[in-house]
Amino acid sequence: MFELLDEIESPDAVVWTVQTIDDAGTLRRFRLRLAWPDYDVWSPDGGVSPARVATAVVNVVLSHEGFDPLPELVDAAMVRRRLPDGDRVVASMIR
């Protein structure tokens, strides 16, 4: 379970604070950065909102042991670098 809190848009990316509760019931926060080129990979026509892409990315991050321990800043491109099928997994979650 998680929540995207604030959304800060800049010319090169969108950044959210993400709040989650882990299995032990501990509240944790981290930031997610979604650069526009990464957004374009998952939504080339711009038909999917950045928040929806971010939600898919966070779901992947929170369910994959490659992100444990969870860094304070997660760049969405980390999904592609750490998971061989990361692009496909995120794309399947937003379609």
Side-chain angles (χ1 to χ4, degrees):
M1 175 175 15
F2 68 89
E3 180 179 15
L4 298 177
L5 298 177
D6 53 356
E7 179 178 307
I8 301 168
E9 188 173 328
S10 70
D12 63 330
V14 184
V15 178
W16 291 266
T17 299
V18 181
Q19 179 172 279
T20 184
I21 299 175
D22 65 19
D23 293 337
T26 304
L27 180 68
R28 298 170 63 185
R29 287 189 177 176
F30 64 96
R31 291 181 338 201
L32 173 70
R33 180 180 184 275
L34 175 62
W36 293 119
D38 296 316
Y39 170 76
D40 290 341
V41 167
W42 292 307
S43 183
D45 65 356
V48 177
S49 72
R52 191 161 157 202
V53 173
T55 297
V57 169
V58 173
N59 274 311
V60 171
V61 166
L62 293 178
S63 65
H64 191 273
E65 64 186 33
F67 292 94
D68 188 26
L70 194 60
E72 288 184 33
L73 174 63
V74 174
D75 191 292
M78 293 169 74
V79 169
R80 141 177 336 108
R81 290 192 304 264
R82 293 187 183 189
L83 303 173
D85 62 343
D87 285 337
R88 183 194 59 75
V89 172
V90 171
S92 71
M93 295 174 93
I94 62 173
R95 298 284 185 283

